[in-house]
Amino acid sequence: MTIPYGRQEVTEADIDAVVGVLRSDYLTQGPWVPAFERAVAQYVGAGHAVAVNSATSALHLACLSLGLGPGDRLWTSPITFVASANCGLYCGAEVDFVDIDPRTGNLCPERLAAKLEQAERDGTVPKVVVAVHLCGEPCDMRAVRALGERYGFRIIEDASHAIGARYRGEPVGSGRYSDVTVFSFHPVKIITTAEGGMAVTNDAATAERMMLLRSHGITRDPAQMTHVPDGPWYYQQIALGFNYRMTELQAALGASQLNRLDAYVERRHEIARRYDEAFTGLPLATPWRDPDSRSALHLYALRLRVEMLRPTHREVFERLREAGIGVNVHYIPVHLQPWYERLGFRYGQFPEAERYYAEAISLPIYPAMTRSDEDRVIDAVTAAVQA
Ligand SMILES: *Cc1c(COP(=O)(O)O)cnc(C)c1O
């Protein structure tokens, strides 16, 4: 049996919660979605939360509600899932990347500062910067925020890996350093709703815009209508929205999973501490964690010291897969995807990201792992990096 790099845990309480919805009157647009939104908003300390059918949809709505459109620019990190960049393209904006800090794999604030200086001279300052908390380790948001104030761009935190993480003593999602924060509830992430995502913000107007757009741009609020309602049946479409709604089944599952979020993050730290210790002295770097933050540890990504190894990155990866360890590589740099190469990006533009890609391997880490799963991973990694 292969040990996957990540997987969900579903308890009897989760199953009961979902079955309860199936027996109820509402499968969608009932009480569970607002209850789950309130629970997440309260957990992260945000004023408003908008549940949707994926983090990809949440990123799209966040960009639209911040006014991103044709002629605008969105910048993000090349070491992320494609959705962090695609949201800019959905809005007709131009996308560009800022190379990473090799220590964390997160967008590098010094490189961001240098790129902004040049962009100011060229008149190409972005409207939105998407900061990704890679592997659950918070990006340097204080630095990103300071640059946002200086250059006037808006900030979205792609916290798809980072619900349950803390940055400088506050939960990721508190909104102190950004306009909108986005979470993913895909089964490999920290907590799951099968598919699902959420956007949190402290700005009421931004939240209202996202709620309108997740449901076709339709309102039933007379105050938002262009004229007096024709009758009690009346609704108006006042924007071109989408159907990005989360179902009641998903929200009930998410609310049930949320009860275990802190325990999940703690369990991930336990596994990571074991790995850190077991891998000391091997020709690889274990993930760096900021002592002032608390990572959600969605991923545990090793960086091989390829210059000290006889086997190549690919050989180590293949040896681990052969040993039944479901390792992965996060991520193929987005600028090297054919869709982005077609837009003019090419190899060599973001060397730190390209080097990261050539060295990173994600090991299994998830709450339901057993001690013997951990032993198997440790033994396999130790063997795979030997000559
Ligand atoms: C998973 C992920 C997404 C997309 O999440 P979905 O809920 O699957 O749409 C976006 N950004 C990052 C960094 C992710 O890891």
Side-chain angles (χ1 to χ4, degrees), residues 52-59 79-85 130 132-135 158-161 182-189 194-198 298-299 330-331:
V52 287
N53 57 358
S54 71
T56 303
S57 302
L59 286 164
I79 297 292
T80 185
F81 186 56
V82 291
S84 316
V130 178
V132 183
H133 305 309
L134 187 70
C135 304
D158 182 345
S160 291
H161 299 182
V182 167
F183 301 115
S184 171
F185 306 125
H186 182 278
V188 295
K189 307 291 165 75
E195 296 280 359
M198 200 176 287
H298 163 56
L299 297 172
H330 296 95
Y331 286 96

Side-chain angles (χ1 to χ4, degrees), residues 282-284 303-313 316 384-387:
L282 295 184
L284 50 81
R303 281 193 72 168
L304 303 182
R305 294 198 201 282
V306 284
E307 69 292 350
M308 295 167 63
L309 280 177
R310 207 196 51 78
T312 62
H313 177 246
V316 172
V385 298
Q386 312 296 328

Side-chain angles (χ1 to χ4, degrees), residues 12 118 123 136 161 220 275 323 335 348:
E12 287 304 315
Q118 182 63 45
H161 299 182
R220 290 173 191 281
Y275 285 168
H335 70 284

Side-chain angles (χ1 to χ4, degrees), residues 128-168:
V128 170
V129 169
V130 178
V132 183
H133 305 309
L134 187 70
C135 304
E137 173 69 28
C139 188
D140 183 353
M141 291 311 300
R142 208 158 61 160
V144 174
R145 174 64 190 258
L147 290 166
E149 274 163 14
R150 175 152 165 216
Y151 290 94
F153 59 79
R154 315 299 291 272
I155 301 167
I156 297 172
E157 292 176 68
D158 182 345
S160 291
H161 299 182
I163 194 164
R166 299 179 75 84
Y167 176 73
R168 293 184 177 274

